[in-house]
Amino acid sequence: MPGGPARTGSLHLPLAGTPVQALPDPGPLRRPGGGPVQRLGLSPFHRLRPGPGTVGIRGIVKIAIAGPGAMGCLFATYLAEAGHQVALLDHDRQRARRLAENGITVEGIRGRHRARPAVTSDAASVGAVDLFMVWVKAYHTADAVELHRAAVGPDTVIFTAQNGLGNPQRVLDKLPAASVVAGTTTVGANLRAEGRVHHAGEGDTVIGAASPGAAAALDGIASLLGDAGFPTTVATDIAGAVWRKVVVNAGINPLTAILGVENGRLLELAPARRLMEELAREAVVVASGQGVELDEQEAVALVVRVAERTAANRSSMLQDISAGRRTEIDAINGAIAALGPAPVNRAVAELVRARERLAGGRD
């Protein structure tokens, strides 16, 4: 995400795990100061819906979060503080053991927070959860869902707000009957070290149904995230929201990674700015071909505004290149070029892949 050094989310191994004690059933959920919440049987999140004359229904929710990166650790910490039962799932057995022993520290805009959620690479030890959040890189989505599918039961709702295009479909390819909620977020965080997160900025989260069975869960998830400090809006056009974020990422991230510059430098270098704007225009045309109509002028202006607001920041793609990691170029500019005629997006995607190889992030 251009809001780096913050890393954000957006819509996407078979190791033995470090066992943790199975999370207990929270028992009957209760209204604030009142009796038990009626379980409607449609979705576990119906119990979180506001009822007539109430501020909102709150209860303990059992949550699994795949991916102990910046966003996974950030959400795990604040959701645990909100009183939910949180398990962090990691494909790396040794790292899971260290995180379980040392806990998670989040520092930044909300001060300093410490959390010790259950951490494991063995999803079976956690069991089926109410909410399964996917916070791995887009190219690891399918593997993460497959590895941790023991945490997904018939009533589990799967949430993805990762960067790029196609993440909900990657989930559904593995679990065709799943209830999948897609989203975008402008919350900013970066991983300073293992289990140490810098919360760089607050932001807005937008969610919507990515599968027919997910619509009933939206209000409850929005309430749950809001209570943890993540203001969340339910969108009727989640595809449009996802594409708008993709347009921004496509315009800024690859150029910063290729040039090795902070976001704001793209506005100061006339050739880079022209490329940034053309990347956005191409993305708008491709989105239209996918049935998502975006205003070209508004999209270009949005990319420029984000570059201005995050001028001093290093994009997540630049961070990945600098660290010798694989980037999410295939899910952003590469995905745009794969969906329609987008020669500039195709060219910059190839350049980023070349940078990855030079940096050792891709074979």
Side-chain angles (χ1 to χ4, degrees):
M1 157 74 183
R7 159 111 174 94
T8 67
S10 128
L11 208 49
H12 136 173
L13 282 168
L15 298 175
T18 303
V20 298
Q21 185 176 2
L23 300 179
D25 189 304
L29 302 176
R30 299 190 174 270
R31 301 179 187 276
V37 176
Q38 182 182 9
R39 298 179 185 264
L40 301 181
L42 297 176
S43 160
F45 293 96
H46 274 276
R47 59 193 171 201
L48 298 176
R49 284 182 181 272
T54 68
V55 174
I57 299 171
R58 292 175 174 83
I60 299 171
V61 173
K62 188 175 176 182
I63 302 169
I65 297 177
M71 296 299 283
C73 287
L74 185 79
F75 274 73
T77 297
Y78 292 144
L79 287 167
E81 283 189 353
H84 301 295
Q85 296 177 329
V86 179
L88 192 57
L89 301 176
D90 187 2
H91 75 275
D92 186 325
R93 178 181 177 180
Q94 298 304 319
R95 182 173 58 190
R97 181 176 290 118
R98 292 192 299 271
L99 288 170
E101 291 174 352
N102 300 325
I104 298 169
T105 301
V106 175
E107 296 177 300
I109 197 165
R110 298 190 198 176
R112 189 173 190 271
H113 301 257
R114 287 277 296 162
R116 295 183 66 88
V119 187
T120 183
S121 57
D122 179 17
S125 67
V126 175
V129 298
D130 297 320
L131 178 63
F132 183 100
M133 305 185 82
V134 184
W135 281 119
V136 298
K137 293 278 192 178
Y139 50 80
H140 283 151
T141 300
D143 287 343
V145 171
E146 179 65 32
L147 176 62
H148 303 310
R149 66 190 304 159
V152 179
D155 294 323
T156 300
V157 178
I158 300 177
F159 172 91
T160 166
Q162 302 149 272
N163 284 336
L165 296 169
N167 290 301
Q169 189 57 51
R170 293 182 184 99
V171 173
L172 289 167
D173 286 344
K174 290 292 183 180
L175 300 170
S179 293
V180 180
V181 168
T184 68
T185 187
T186 56
V187 172
N190 67 281
L191 198 65
R192 293 286 176 83
E194 187 176 279
R196 295 187 62 87
V197 178
H198 177 235
H199 184 183
E202 302 288 12
D204 297 318
T205 301
V206 180
I207 62 173
S211 67
L218 295 175
D219 290 345
I221 294 176
S223 175
L224 178 147
L225 294 177
D227 287 347
F230 302 109
T232 301
T233 302
V234 174
T236 55
D237 177 24
I238 190 59
V242 169
W243 267 99
R244 277 186 286 275
K245 183 178 179 183
V246 168
V247 169
V248 171
N249 286 344
I252 296 175
N253 290 17
L255 296 179
T256 62
I258 293 165
L259 298 173
V261 299
E262 296 170 342
N263 297 350
R265 289 288 284 154
L266 301 181
L267 302 174
E268 300 167 0
L269 300 168
R273 179 165 181 156
R274 289 194 293 271
L275 277 173
M276 180 180 72
E277 294 179 357
E278 185 58 27
L279 288 165
R281 291 189 190 97
E282 282 189 353
V284 169
V285 172
V286 173
S288 179
Q290 299 299 305
V292 177
E293 299 299 332
L294 304 175
D295 182 273
E296 182 180 290
Q297 281 190 311
E298 289 180 2
V300 171
L302 175 61
V303 176
V304 171
R305 284 199 306 274
V306 172
E308 289 172 342
R309 289 200 308 264
T310 62
N313 297 332
R314 301 172 77 242
S315 74
S316 59
M317 197 170 288
L318 174 57
Q319 291 180 65
D320 286 339
I321 289 291
S322 300
R325 297 188 297 258
R326 181 179 174 184
T327 74
E328 294 180 299
I329 191 69
D330 295 339
I332 303 174
N333 302 80
I336 292 168
L339 290 171
V344 181
N345 277 271
R346 186 178 302 279
V348 300
E350 289 287 65
L351 287 171
V352 171
R353 292 178 187 121
R355 285 295 314 271
E356 287 178 341
R357 284 171 170 79
L358 288 173
R362 189 188 291 249
D363 295 331

